Amino acid sequence: MKLLEEKIILEGNVLSDSVLKVDRFLNHQIDPELMLSIGKEFAERFKNDQITKILTLESSGIAPAVMTGLILQTPVLFARKKKSLTMIDDLYHSKVYSFTKQEKTEVSVSKKLLNTNDRVLVIDDFLANGQAALALIDIVNQAEASLVGLGIVIEKTFQNGGDQLRKNGIRVESLAQILSLENGRVHFVHEEVKQ
Amino acid sequence: MKLLEEKIILEGNVLSDSVLKVDRFLNHQIDPELMLSIGKEFAERFKNDQITKILTLESSGIAPAVMTGLILQTPVLFARKKKSLTMIDDLYHSKVYSFTKQEKTEVSVSKKLLNTNDRVLVIDDFLANGQAALALIDIVNQAEASLVGLGIVIEKTFQNGGDQLRKNGIRVESLAQILSLENGRVHFVHEEVKQ
């Protein structure tokens, strides 16, 4: 997605060979117009898949997920990292290890909001080692719902999360694929457009 | 806002005399179409105030804030509850006590993303005791930015946060005002429409 790649070049910040900071438009400050464009792109890619629910993880997945839900006209469910006192229902649980936060977090989804009839699109801001994606997929499986695929805003292809998921037959649609962050520069994967 | 009140009656769940659960459309599952209506309503109320930035708190404030930012064409900044490894800039800090989570949380905003030229609209999902609002206002003040007002999705007027803020001259626009949750029922405040 050209608009997103341009934004990454213009406003992203390469902190190291593995860390890209996008806090000016995605995970601290959010550019709502860009999020709408991202939502439209995900919606276009999954428009024929009868999605009934979008699942994401708080917090940075929420904005792109909500815009996708707006276009696809489906509810958006975000897995919570901390239990609120109002989460009194039966819950699905899974665990996510975050390399950027260096800790393991339990994530939860209310059982009443995800079930076997759902066709689920998982959306997240980043795909690197795939830890968050695996936890969300685990929850989809616990609910015996159908996983349609993953919509990822930024994939770091030099980490192996995306490869592993695709090898397991999971459809992964990434709007920007980063081949490397070496020498302080962002290098994108550019593939032929598949029709 | 009639649409929101109807949604609260239809899908909200009164857990006690002080707790309203809205996890079917606002703070666990999100209704994107309703969020857009909420964004349009906030935008209408603040359209003449030259807002340059919307400030909210992760996670449940993000969806209404992003839709408001989409209509007002302003960036949205969400205060983070946990520091990511990529938050290496100078930060504004404040503290929020959450009654529903029974803990005090430090919230942070990058100094480079909020400054003295900003005219800030603070948006949040709930206003009860006003703890989250006060922390966000504290951050606006630290940045020496101008606080234009608060946009609240659901205000519980039987708790004193809104009263205190208004007494201090702060403009608070709440889309649904709840007078009480007694006897398991939601009672709204209905005021004359001010022209």
Side-chain angles (χ1 to χ4, degrees):
Chain A
M1 187 182 170
K2 198 159 173 289
L3 182 69
L4 175 62
E5 290 187 359
E6 286 170 355
K7 194 84 171 181
I8 291 169
I9 294 295
L10 202 66
E11 300 190 6
N13 199 344
V14 179
L15 294 190
S16 73
D17 283 1
S18 63
V19 180
L20 173 70
K21 187 172 166 177
V22 288
D23 69 344
R24 285 188 175 273
F25 60 91
L26 183 55
N27 53 26
H28 183 26
Q29 181 163 276
I30 300 170
D31 178 338
E33 192 67 47
L34 178 67
M35 293 305 120
L36 181 60
S37 299
I38 285 171
K40 285 178 178 169
E41 181 67 31
F42 282 136
E44 178 62 28
R45 294 188 189 200
F46 289 97
K47 68 182 175 190
N48 297 321
D49 294 288
Q50 295 90 42
I51 307 294
T52 65
K53 194 147 292 191
I54 293 170
L55 179 64
T56 188
L57 183 60
E58 60 179 346
S59 296
S60 300
I62 293 176
V66 167
M67 290 304 185
T68 310
L70 183 69
I71 310 296
L72 286 176
Q73 299 185 284
T74 56
V76 172
L77 182 59
F78 65 90
R80 301 206 66 146
K81 291 177 181 166
K82 222 163 234 169
K83 264 177 271 183
S84 157
L85 280 193
T86 65
M87 288 183 88
I88 52 165
D89 308 301
D90 281 344
L91 302 171
Y92 301 115
H93 297 288
S94 193
K95 291 212 167 151
V96 184
Y97 178 76
S98 163
F99 288 89
T100 46
K101 288 184 184 165
Q102 298 182 312
E103 61 180 26
K104 211 162 188 175
T105 310
E106 187 172 73
V107 299
S108 310
V109 164
S110 170
K111 288 192 181 179
K112 73 165 191 231
L113 295 171
L114 192 65
N115 64 56
T116 183
N117 298 318
D118 280 314
R119 293 179 53 80
V120 183
L121 169 59
V122 168
I123 285 190
D124 209 3
D125 57 338
F126 269 97
L127 175 61
N129 297 287
Q131 298 296 309
L134 288 172
L136 293 174
I137 292 168
D138 180 27
I139 284 173
V140 173
N141 290 337
Q142 287 179 48
E144 297 177 15
S146 305
L147 177 71
V148 173
L150 264 68
I152 300 295
V153 180
I154 301 173
E155 177 181 355
K156 296 192 277 189
T157 63
F158 58 89
Q159 289 172 304
N160 71 347
D163 268 5
Q164 291 299 320
L165 292 165
R166 292 183 182 96
K167 272 183 200 159
N168 285 310
I170 293 169
R171 178 176 170 199
V172 183
E173 295 279 351
S174 301
L175 303 191
Q177 288 187 301
I178 293 175
L179 189 62
S180 97
L181 296 170
E182 281 167 24
N183 306 315
R185 281 201 53 208
V186 181
H187 302 269
F188 294 104
V189 176
H190 285 286
E191 296 178 312
E192 295 291 302
V193 178
K194 291 165 198 141
Q195 296 296 341
Chain B
M1 186 181 169
K2 196 159 176 287
L3 184 68
L4 175 62
E5 291 186 359
E6 286 170 356
K7 194 84 172 179
I8 291 169
I9 294 294
L10 203 66
E11 299 191 7
N13 199 345
V14 178
L15 294 191
S16 72
D17 282 1
S18 63
V19 180
L20 173 70
K21 188 173 167 177
V22 288
D23 70 343
R24 286 187 175 273
F25 60 91
L26 182 55
N27 54 26
H28 184 25
Q29 181 164 276
I30 299 169
D31 178 337
E33 193 67 48
L34 177 67
M35 293 304 121
L36 180 61
S37 300
I38 284 170
K40 285 177 178 169
E41 181 67 29
F42 282 136
E44 178 62 27
R45 295 188 189 199
F46 290 96
K47 68 182 175 188
N48 297 320
D49 293 287
Q50 294 89 43
I51 307 293
T52 64
K53 195 146 292 192
I54 293 169
L55 178 64
T56 187
L57 184 61
E58 62 179 345
S59 294
S60 300
I62 293 175
V66 168
M67 291 303 186
T68 309
L70 184 70
I71 310 297
L72 286 176
Q73 298 185 285
T74 56
V76 172
L77 183 58
F78 65 90
R80 300 205 67 144
K81 290 177 182 166
K82 222 164 232 169
K83 263 177 270 184
S84 158
L85 281 192
T86 66
M87 288 184 86
I88 52 166
D89 307 302
D90 281 346
L91 302 171
Y92 301 115
H93 297 288
S94 192
K95 293 214 167 148
V96 183
Y97 180 75
S98 164
F99 288 90
T100 45
K101 289 184 182 164
Q102 297 181 312
E103 62 181 24
K104 209 163 187 173
T105 310
E106 186 171 73
V107 299
S108 310
V109 165
S110 170
K111 288 191 180 179
K112 72 166 191 231
L113 295 171
L114 192 65
N115 64 56
T116 182
N117 297 317
D118 279 315
R119 293 180 52 81
V120 183
L121 168 59
V122 168
I123 286 190
D124 208 2
D125 58 337
F126 268 98
L127 175 61
N129 296 287
Q131 297 296 309
L134 288 172
L136 294 174
I137 292 168
D138 180 26
I139 284 173
V140 173
N141 290 337
Q142 287 178 49
E144 298 178 13
S146 305
L147 177 71
V148 173
L150 264 67
I152 300 295
V153 180
I154 302 173
E155 177 181 355
K156 296 192 277 189
T157 62
F158 57 91
Q159 289 171 303
N160 70 347
D163 268 5
Q164 291 298 319
L165 291 165
R166 290 183 183 97
K167 272 182 199 159
N168 285 308
I170 292 169
R171 179 176 170 199
V172 182
E173 297 280 349
S174 301
L175 303 191
Q177 288 187 301
I178 294 174
L179 189 63
S180 97
L181 296 169
E182 281 166 26
N183 306 315
R185 281 201 54 209
V186 182
H187 301 269
F188 294 105
V189 176
H190 284 285
E191 297 178 311
E192 294 292 300
V193 178
K194 291 166 199 142
Q195 298 295 342

